[in-house]
């Protein structure tokens, strides 16, 4: 009998080159201070948060896994993908220590989306429109599918934020966790070589993070608001939001505010800001 795992292993994907990544990315003047690649773990977000709490990781640490067995997604969901088929990593950041007020921290996952999309456009030649708040989409045969997700979690005890990014790189149609998922391969990326892709994403993330913190977390001043709007798959579209207390809201997504909330204009003239806990579905235009 062919198990899922043996079917996955048959693809024989190459490992990341941890040494070259470390040499290329971690320098004294770089945001990234430390980089580790592990073969397999439960969740890089969980591991890095634990290391931060225990004082074993400091700001700028990056943890990458070739495989996650208990990858975490937003709203208690899971993130799963075959070993070496994508980029699964977490970075420890301290935006508050870097001058960002707590109310603006909600921009961090949006920033990660903008940075990742810019890197993928350059390095993979693929457009990844951003579905608010944390999804990177790709177009496969004209349909929008999720190829990436972002999960920012505060570390208990004030040791910062763990920013986790999961990106489906070389998954084939048969390997997708759900039919609505996609991958860079399926979106006809010019490369699925994960080393240059990871380098590009981490460099772009460092650039955007530095710009944002230098502006005190002001997304408009950092140019982030404009970049987000330009890359958004949500703004200007009809949406249906599932509200945390039950019920739903129908309207058009018209803006993202200074706290990273999606502003929805309803048919009766209200403008409702939605927090990241609300689930938003894009509706057909
Ligand atoms: O789409 C989502 O809901 C967010 C998915 C985030 C997945 C990444 S993979 C690396 C990091 N470690 C985790 O356990 N989750 C994030």
């Amino acid at each position: 009998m062919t198990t899922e795992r043996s079917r996955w292993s048959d693809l024989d994907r190459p490992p990341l080159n941890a040494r070259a990544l470390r040499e290329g990315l971690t320098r004294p003047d770089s945001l990234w201070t430390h980089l580790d690649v592990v073969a397999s773990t439960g969740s890089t977000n969980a591991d890095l948060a634990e290391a931060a709490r225990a004082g074993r990781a400091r700001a700028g640490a990056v943890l990458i896994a070739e495989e996650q067995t208990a990858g975490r997604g937003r709203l208690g969901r899971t993130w799963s993908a075959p070993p070496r088929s994508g980029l699964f990593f977490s970075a420890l950041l301290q935006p508050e220590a870097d001058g960002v007020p707590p109310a603006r921290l909600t921009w961090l996952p949006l920033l990660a989306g903008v940075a990742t999309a810019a890197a993928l456009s350059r390095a993979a030649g693929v457009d990844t429109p951003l579905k608010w708040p944390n999804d990177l989409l790709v177009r496969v045969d004209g349909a929008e599918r999720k190829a990436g997700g972002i999960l920012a979690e505060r570390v208990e005890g004030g040791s910062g934020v763990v920013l986790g990014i999961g990106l489906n790189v070389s998954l084939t149609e048969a390997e997708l966790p759900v039919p609505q998922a996609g991958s860079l391969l399926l979106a006809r990326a010019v490369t699925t070589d994960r080393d240059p892709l990871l380098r590009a994403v981490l460099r772009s993330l460092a650039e955007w993070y530095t710009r944002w913190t230098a502006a005190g977390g002001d997304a408009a001043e950092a140019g982030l608001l404009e970049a987000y709007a330009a890359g958004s798959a949500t703004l200007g579209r009809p949406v249906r939001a599932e509200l945390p207390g039950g019920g739903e809201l129908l309207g058009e997504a018209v803006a993202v505010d200074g706290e990273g909330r999606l502003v929805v204009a309803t048919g009766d003239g209200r403008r409702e800001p939605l927090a990241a806990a609300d689930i938003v579905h894009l509706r057909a235009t």
Side-chain angles (χ1 to χ4, degrees):
M1 194 180 91
T2 311
T3 62
E4 284 295 292
R5 181 55 51 87
S6 64
R7 179 163 57 83
W8 287 345
S9 324
D10 287 343
L11 288 169
D12 201 18
R13 297 173 157 111
L16 287 163
N17 186 339
R19 191 169 160 189
L21 286 166
R22 200 173 292 123
E23 284 173 1
L25 288 160
T26 60
R27 286 194 208 90
D29 60 343
S30 155
L31 180 67
W32 310 124
T33 54
H34 188 89
L35 187 147
D36 268 332
V37 181
V38 296
S40 180
T41 188
S43 153
T44 55
N45 263 37
D47 290 356
L48 197 53
E50 178 53 36
R53 270 193 297 270
R56 285 185 281 105
R58 62 188 177 100
V62 179
L63 177 63
I64 304 147
E66 294 281 25
E67 174 190 33
Q68 289 185 122
T69 54
R72 304 208 291 226
R74 254 180 89 235
L75 307 168
R77 297 186 186 128
T78 55
W79 179 271
S80 71
R84 297 183 183 171
S85 67
L87 298 176
F88 323 120
F89 70 94
S90 304
L92 181 63
L93 296 166
Q94 294 194 321
E96 286 167 284
D98 292 331
V100 177
R104 291 176 172 167
L105 289 182
T106 34
W107 262 97
L108 185 59
L110 309 188
L111 176 154
V114 166
T116 305
L120 295 177
S121 166
R122 278 196 299 267
V126 165
D127 264 357
T128 49
L130 304 169
K131 177 170 175 277
W132 186 90
N134 72 326
D135 294 350
L136 288 116
L137 307 180
V138 285
R139 288 195 192 88
V140 181
D141 299 330
E144 286 176 325
R145 302 210 211 156
K146 175 167 171 169
I150 293 158
L151 178 65
E153 299 181 290
R154 259 178 192 279
V155 181
E156 284 162 33
S159 323
V161 176
V162 171
L163 178 68
I165 301 183
L167 188 66
N168 291 341
V169 176
S170 63
L171 283 88
T172 61
E173 197 77 58
E175 292 174 313
L176 298 172
V178 288
Q180 312 86 285
S183 70
L184 299 187
L185 176 78
L186 296 172
R188 302 181 192 279
V190 295
T191 179
T192 55
D193 182 348
R194 293 177 306 143
D195 286 295
L197 294 178
L198 182 57
R199 250 193 308 275
V201 171
L202 283 170
R203 286 204 177 121
S204 179
L205 201 50
E207 277 167 26
W208 273 107
Y209 182 81
T210 305
R211 217 174 285 169
W212 179 59
T213 51
D218 184 322
E221 193 184 319
L224 190 52
L225 189 58
E226 198 183 343
Y228 186 82
S232 174
T234 307
L235 292 176
R237 297 263 295 263
V239 293
R240 178 172 66 83
E242 289 177 36
L243 303 175
E248 64 174 23
L249 183 77
L250 295 176
E252 184 187 328
V254 289
V256 175
D257 71 13
E259 296 181 15
R261 293 175 301 185
L262 184 70
V263 181
V264 175
T266 60
D268 58 5
R270 282 177 297 139
R271 285 168 75 90
E272 296 281 349
L274 301 180
D278 303 320
I279 303 171
V280 170
H281 304 274
L282 302 177
R283 293 187 292 142
T285 42

Coordinates of all heavy atoms in Angstrom, one line a residue, residues 184-252:
L184 N 3.3 27.7 -5.6 CA 4.0 28.5 -6.6 C 4.2 27.6 -7.9 O 4.1 28.1 -9.0 CB 5.4 28.9 -6.1 CG 5.4 29.8 -4.9 CD1 6.8 30.3 -4.6 CD2 4.5 31.0 -5.1
L185 N 4.4 26.3 -7.7 CA 4.6 25.4 -8.9 C 3.3 25.5 -9.8 O 3.4 25.7 -11.0 CB 4.8 24.0 -8.4 CG 4.9 23.0 -9.5 CD1 6.3 23.0 -10.2 CD2 4.6 21.6 -9.0
L186 N 2.2 25.4 -9.1 CA 0.9 25.4 -9.9 C 0.6 26.7 -10.6 O -0.1 26.8 -11.5 CB -0.3 24.9 -9.0 CG -0.2 23.5 -8.5 CD1 -1.2 23.2 -7.5 CD2 -0.2 22.5 -9.7
A187 N 1.2 27.8 -9.9 CA 1.1 29.1 -10.5 C 2.2 29.4 -11.6 O 2.3 30.6 -11.9 CB 1.0 30.2 -9.4
R188 N 2.9 28.4 -11.9 CA 3.9 28.5 -13.0 C 5.1 29.5 -12.6 O 5.5 30.3 -13.4 CB 3.3 28.9 -14.3 CG 2.3 28.0 -14.8 CD 1.7 28.4 -16.2 NE 0.5 27.7 -16.5 CZ 0.5 26.5 -17.1 NH1 1.7 25.9 -17.3 NH2 -0.6 25.9 -17.4
A189 N 5.6 29.3 -11.4 CA 6.7 30.1 -10.9 C 7.9 29.8 -11.8 O 8.1 28.6 -12.3 CB 7.1 29.7 -9.5
V190 N 8.8 30.8 -12.0 CA 10.0 30.5 -12.8 C 11.0 29.7 -12.1 O 11.9 29.0 -12.7 CB 10.7 31.8 -13.3 CG1 9.8 32.6 -14.2 CG2 11.1 32.7 -12.1
T191 N 10.9 29.6 -10.8 CA 11.8 28.7 -10.0 C 11.0 28.2 -8.8 O 10.2 28.9 -8.2 CB 13.1 29.3 -9.5 OG1 13.8 28.3 -8.8 CG2 12.8 30.5 -8.6
T192 N 11.3 26.9 -8.4 CA 10.8 26.4 -7.1 C 12.0 26.0 -6.2 O 11.9 25.3 -5.3 CB 9.9 25.2 -7.3 OG1 10.6 24.2 -8.0 CG2 8.6 25.5 -8.0
D193 N 13.2 26.6 -6.5 CA 14.4 26.4 -5.7 C 14.2 27.2 -4.4 O 14.1 28.5 -4.5 CB 15.6 26.9 -6.5 CG 16.9 26.7 -5.8 OD1 16.8 26.4 -4.6 OD2 17.9 26.8 -6.4
R194 N 14.1 26.6 -3.3 CA 13.7 27.3 -2.1 C 14.8 28.2 -1.5 O 14.5 29.1 -0.8 CB 13.2 26.2 -1.0 CG 12.0 25.5 -1.4 CD 11.6 24.5 -0.4 NE 12.7 23.5 -0.2 CZ 13.0 23.0 1.0 NH1 12.3 23.3 2.1 NH2 14.0 22.2 1.1
D195 N 16.0 27.9 -1.8 CA 17.1 28.7 -1.2 C 17.0 30.2 -1.7 O 16.9 31.1 -0.8 CB 18.5 28.2 -1.5 CG 18.8 26.9 -0.7 OD1 18.9 27.0 0.5 OD2 18.9 25.9 -1.3
P196 N 17.0 30.5 -3.0 CA 16.8 31.9 -3.4 C 15.5 32.5 -3.0 O 15.4 33.7 -2.7 CB 17.0 31.8 -4.9 CG 16.8 30.4 -5.3 CD 17.2 29.6 -4.1
L197 N 14.4 31.7 -2.9 CA 13.1 32.2 -2.5 C 13.2 32.6 -1.1 O 12.7 33.7 -0.7 CB 12.0 31.1 -2.7 CG 11.7 30.8 -4.2 CD1 10.7 29.7 -4.3 CD2 11.3 32.0 -5.0
L198 N 13.7 31.8 -0.2 CA 13.8 32.1 1.2 C 14.7 33.4 1.5 O 14.3 34.3 2.2 CB 14.3 30.9 2.0 CG 14.4 31.2 3.5 CD1 13.1 31.5 4.1 CD2 14.9 29.9 4.2
R199 N 15.8 33.4 0.7 CA 16.7 34.6 0.9 C 15.9 35.8 0.5 O 16.0 36.9 1.2 CB 17.9 34.4 0.0 CG 19.2 34.2 0.7 CD 20.4 34.3 -0.2 NE 20.3 33.5 -1.4 CZ 20.7 32.3 -1.5 NH1 21.2 31.6 -0.4 NH2 20.6 31.6 -2.6
A200 N 15.2 35.8 -0.6 CA 14.5 37.0 -1.1 C 13.4 37.4 -0.1 O 13.2 38.5 0.2 CB 13.8 36.7 -2.5
V201 N 12.7 36.4 0.5 CA 11.6 36.7 1.4 C 12.2 37.3 2.7 O 11.7 38.4 3.2 CB 10.8 35.5 1.8 CG1 9.8 35.8 2.9 CG2 10.0 35.0 0.5
L202 N 13.3 36.8 3.2 CA 13.9 37.3 4.5 C 14.4 38.7 4.2 O 14.3 39.6 5.1 CB 14.9 36.3 5.0 CG 14.3 35.1 5.7 CD1 15.4 34.1 6.1 CD2 13.6 35.5 7.0
R203 N 15.1 38.9 3.1 CA 15.6 40.2 2.8 C 14.5 41.3 2.7 O 14.6 42.4 3.3 CB 16.4 40.2 1.5 CG 17.7 39.5 1.7 CD 18.7 40.0 0.6 NE 20.0 39.3 0.9 CZ 20.7 38.5 0.1 NH1 20.2 38.3 -1.1 NH2 21.8 38.0 0.5
S204 N 13.4 40.9 2.0 CA 12.3 41.8 1.8 C 11.6 42.1 3.2 O 11.3 43.3 3.5 CB 11.3 41.2 0.8 OG 10.2 42.0 0.6
L205 N 11.5 41.1 4.0 CA 10.9 41.2 5.3 C 11.7 42.2 6.2 O 11.2 43.1 6.9 CB 10.8 39.9 6.0 CG 9.9 39.6 7.1 CD1 8.5 40.1 6.8 CD2 9.9 38.1 7.4
A206 N 13.0 42.1 6.1 CA 13.9 42.9 6.9 C 13.8 44.4 6.4 O 13.7 45.3 7.2 CB 15.4 42.5 6.8
E207 N 13.7 44.6 5.1 CA 13.6 45.9 4.6 C 12.3 46.6 5.0 O 12.3 47.7 5.5 CB 13.5 45.9 3.0 CG 14.9 45.8 2.4 CD 14.8 45.5 0.9 OE1 13.8 45.8 0.3 OE2 15.8 44.9 0.4
W208 N 11.2 45.9 4.9 CA 9.9 46.4 5.2 C 9.8 46.7 6.7 O 9.2 47.7 7.2 CB 8.7 45.6 4.7 CG 8.3 45.9 3.3 CD1 8.6 45.2 2.2 CD2 7.7 47.1 2.9 NE1 8.1 45.9 1.1 CE2 7.6 47.0 1.5 CE3 7.2 48.2 3.5 CZ2 7.0 48.0 0.7 CZ3 6.6 49.2 2.8 CH2 6.5 49.1 1.4
Y209 N 10.3 45.7 7.5 CA 10.2 45.8 9.0 C 11.0 47.1 9.4 O 10.6 47.9 10.3 CB 10.8 44.6 9.6 CG 10.7 44.6 11.2 CD1 9.5 44.3 11.8 CD2 11.8 45.0 11.9 CE1 9.4 44.4 13.2 CE2 11.8 45.1 13.3 CZ 10.6 44.8 13.9 OH 10.5 44.8 15.3
T210 N 12.2 47.3 8.8 CA 13.0 48.4 9.2 C 12.3 49.7 8.9 O 12.3 50.7 9.6 CB 14.4 48.3 8.5 OG1 14.9 47.0 8.8 CG2 15.4 49.4 8.9
R211 N 11.7 49.8 7.7 CA 11.0 51.0 7.2 C 9.8 51.3 8.2 O 9.6 52.4 8.6 CB 10.4 50.7 5.9 CG 10.4 51.9 4.9 CD 10.0 51.5 3.6 NE 11.0 50.8 2.8 CZ 10.8 50.1 1.7 NH1 9.6 50.1 1.1 NH2 11.7 49.5 1.0
W212 N 9.1 50.2 8.6 CA 7.9 50.4 9.4 C 8.2 50.8 10.8 O 7.6 51.7 11.4 CB 7.2 49.0 9.4 CG 5.9 48.9 10.2 CD1 4.8 49.6 10.1 CD2 5.7 48.0 11.3 NE1 3.8 49.2 11.0 CE2 4.4 48.2 11.7 CE3 6.4 46.9 11.9 CZ2 3.8 47.4 12.8 CZ3 5.9 46.2 12.9 CH2 4.6 46.4 13.3
T213 N 9.3 50.2 11.4 CA 9.6 50.6 12.8 C 10.2 52.0 12.8 O 10.0 52.7 13.7 CB 10.6 49.5 13.4 OG1 11.7 49.3 12.5 CG2 9.9 48.2 13.7
A214 N 11.0 52.3 11.7 CA 11.5 53.7 11.6 C 10.4 54.7 11.6 O 10.6 55.9 12.1 CB 12.4 53.8 10.4
A215 N 9.2 54.4 11.1 CA 8.1 55.3 11.0 C 7.2 55.1 12.3 O 6.0 55.6 12.3 CB 7.3 55.0 9.8
G216 N 7.7 54.5 13.3 CA 6.9 54.3 14.6 C 5.7 53.4 14.4 O 4.7 53.6 15.1
G217 N 5.8 52.6 13.3 CA 4.6 51.7 13.1 C 3.5 52.3 12.3 O 2.4 51.7 12.1
D218 N 3.7 53.6 11.8 CA 2.7 54.3 11.0 C 2.8 53.7 9.6 O 3.7 54.0 8.8 CB 3.0 55.8 11.0 CG 1.9 56.6 10.3 OD1 1.4 56.1 9.3 OD2 1.6 57.7 10.8
A219 N 1.7 52.9 9.3 CA 1.8 52.2 8.0 C 1.7 53.2 6.8 O 2.4 52.9 5.8 CB 0.6 51.2 7.9
A220 N 1.0 54.3 6.9 CA 1.0 55.2 5.8 C 2.3 55.9 5.6 O 2.8 55.9 4.5 CB -0.1 56.3 6.1
E221 N 2.9 56.3 6.7 CA 4.3 57.0 6.6 C 5.3 56.0 6.0 O 6.2 56.5 5.3 CB 4.7 57.5 8.0 CG 5.8 58.5 7.9 CD 6.3 58.9 9.3 OE1 5.4 59.1 10.2 OE2 7.5 58.9 9.6
A222 N 5.2 54.8 6.4 CA 6.2 53.8 5.9 C 6.0 53.4 4.5 O 6.8 52.6 3.9 CB 6.2 52.6 6.8
G223 N 4.9 53.8 3.9 CA 4.6 53.4 2.5 C 3.9 52.1 2.4 O 3.7 51.5 1.4
L224 N 3.6 51.5 3.6 CA 3.1 50.2 3.7 C 1.6 50.1 3.3 O 1.2 49.2 2.6 CB 3.2 49.7 5.1 CG 3.0 48.3 5.5 CD1 3.8 47.3 4.6 CD2 3.4 48.0 7.0
L225 N 0.9 51.2 3.7 CA -0.6 51.2 3.4 C -0.7 51.2 1.8 O -1.6 50.5 1.3 CB -1.1 52.5 4.0 CG -2.6 52.7 3.9 CD1 -3.3 51.6 4.7 CD2 -3.0 54.0 4.6
E226 N 0.1 52.0 1.2 CA 0.0 52.1 -0.3 C 0.4 50.8 -0.9 O -0.3 50.3 -1.8 CB 0.9 53.2 -0.7 CG 0.7 53.7 -2.1 CD 1.7 54.8 -2.6 OE1 2.4 55.3 -1.7 OE2 1.8 55.0 -3.8
A227 N 1.4 50.2 -0.4 CA 1.9 48.9 -1.0 C 0.8 47.8 -0.7 O 0.6 47.0 -1.6 CB 3.2 48.5 -0.4
Y228 N 0.2 47.9 0.5 CA -0.8 46.9 0.8 C -2.0 47.0 -0.1 O -2.5 46.0 -0.7 CB -1.2 47.0 2.3 CG -2.1 45.8 2.6 CD1 -1.6 44.6 2.9 CD2 -3.5 46.0 2.5 CE1 -2.5 43.5 3.2 CE2 -4.4 44.9 2.7 CZ -3.8 43.7 3.1 OH -4.7 42.6 3.3
A229 N -2.4 48.3 -0.3 CA -3.6 48.5 -1.2 C -3.3 48.0 -2.6 O -4.1 47.4 -3.3 CB -4.0 50.0 -1.2
A230 N -2.1 48.3 -3.1 CA -1.7 47.9 -4.5 C -1.7 46.4 -4.6 O -2.0 45.9 -5.7 CB -0.4 48.5 -4.8
G231 N -1.4 45.7 -3.6 CA -1.3 44.2 -3.7 C -2.5 43.5 -3.2 O -2.5 42.2 -3.1
S232 N -3.5 44.2 -2.8 CA -4.7 43.5 -2.1 C -5.6 42.8 -3.0 O -6.0 43.4 -4.1 CB -5.4 44.6 -1.3 OG -6.6 44.0 -0.7
A233 N -6.0 41.6 -2.6 CA -7.1 40.9 -3.4 C -8.4 41.2 -2.8 O -9.4 40.8 -3.3 CB -6.8 39.4 -3.3
T234 N -8.4 42.0 -1.6 CA -9.7 42.2 -0.9 C -10.3 43.5 -1.1 O -11.5 43.6 -1.3 CB -9.4 42.0 0.6 OG1 -8.7 40.7 0.8 CG2 -10.7 42.0 1.4
L235 N -9.4 44.6 -1.2 CA -10.0 45.9 -1.3 C -10.7 46.1 -2.6 O -10.2 45.6 -3.7 CB -8.8 47.0 -1.1 CG -8.2 47.0 0.3 CD1 -7.1 48.0 0.3 CD2 -9.3 47.4 1.3
G236 N -11.8 46.8 -2.6 CA -12.6 47.0 -3.8 C -13.5 45.8 -4.1 O -14.2 45.9 -5.2
R237 N -13.5 44.8 -3.3 CA -14.3 43.6 -3.6 C -15.5 43.5 -2.6 O -15.4 43.9 -1.5 CB -13.5 42.3 -3.4 CG -12.3 42.3 -4.4 CD -12.6 41.4 -5.6 NE -12.8 40.0 -5.4 CZ -11.9 39.1 -5.5 NH1 -10.6 39.4 -5.7 NH2 -12.2 37.8 -5.3
P238 N -16.6 42.9 -3.1 CA -17.7 42.6 -2.2 C -17.2 41.4 -1.2 O -16.6 40.5 -1.7 CB -18.8 42.1 -3.1 CG -18.3 42.1 -4.5 CD -16.9 42.5 -4.5
V239 N -17.5 41.6 0.1 CA -17.1 40.6 1.0 C -18.3 40.2 1.9 O -19.2 40.9 2.1 CB -15.9 41.1 1.9 CG1 -14.7 41.3 1.1 CG2 -16.3 42.4 2.7
R240 N -18.1 39.0 2.5 CA -19.0 38.6 3.6 C -18.1 38.2 4.8 O -17.2 37.4 4.6 CB -19.8 37.3 3.1 CG -20.7 36.7 4.2 CD -21.6 35.7 3.6 NE -20.8 34.5 3.1 CZ -20.5 33.5 4.0 NH1 -20.8 33.5 5.2 NH2 -19.8 32.5 3.5
A241 N -18.4 38.9 5.9 CA -17.6 38.6 7.1 C -18.4 37.9 8.1 O -19.5 38.2 8.4 CB -17.1 39.9 7.7
E242 N -17.7 36.8 8.7 CA -18.4 36.1 9.8 C -17.9 36.8 11.1 O -16.7 36.9 11.3 CB -17.9 34.6 9.8 CG -18.4 33.8 8.7 CD -17.9 32.4 8.7 OE1 -17.6 31.8 9.8 OE2 -17.6 31.9 7.6
L243 N -18.8 37.3 11.9 CA -18.4 38.1 13.0 C -18.2 37.2 14.2 O -18.8 36.1 14.4 CB -19.5 39.1 13.3 CG -19.8 40.1 12.1 CD1 -20.9 41.0 12.4 CD2 -18.5 40.9 11.8
P244 N -17.3 37.6 15.1 CA -16.9 36.7 16.3 C -18.1 36.3 17.1 O -18.3 35.2 17.6 CB -15.9 37.5 17.1 CG -15.5 38.6 16.2 CD -16.5 38.8 15.1
G245 N -19.0 37.3 17.3 CA -20.2 37.0 18.2 C -21.3 36.3 17.5 O -22.4 36.2 18.0
G246 N -21.1 35.8 16.2 CA -22.2 35.2 15.4 C -22.7 36.3 14.5 O -22.4 37.5 14.7
G247 N -23.4 35.9 13.5 CA -23.9 36.8 12.5 C -22.9 37.2 11.4 O -21.7 36.7 11.5
E248 N -23.3 37.9 10.4 CA -22.4 38.2 9.3 C -22.7 39.6 8.8 O -23.7 40.2 9.2 CB -22.6 37.2 8.2 CG -24.0 37.2 7.5 CD -24.1 36.3 6.3 OE1 -23.3 35.4 6.2 OE2 -24.9 36.6 5.5
L249 N -21.7 40.1 8.1 CA -21.7 41.5 7.6 C -21.4 41.4 6.1 O -20.5 40.8 5.7 CB -20.6 42.3 8.3 CG -20.6 43.8 8.0 CD1 -21.7 44.5 8.7 CD2 -19.2 44.3 8.4
L250 N -22.3 42.0 5.3 CA -22.1 42.0 3.9 C -21.8 43.4 3.4 O -22.4 44.4 4.0 CB -23.4 41.6 3.1 CG -23.9 40.2 3.3 CD1 -25.2 39.9 2.6 CD2 -22.8 39.2 2.8
G251 N -20.9 43.6 2.5 CA -20.5 44.9 2.1 C -19.4 44.9 1.1 O -19.0 43.9 0.6
E252 N -18.8 46.1 0.9 CA -17.6 46.2 0.1 C -16.4 46.6 0.9 O -16.5 47.5 1.8 CB -17.8 47.2 -1.0 CG -16.6 47.2 -2.0 CD -16.8 48.4 -3.0 OE1 -17.9 48.7 -3.4 OE2 -15.7 48.9 -3.4

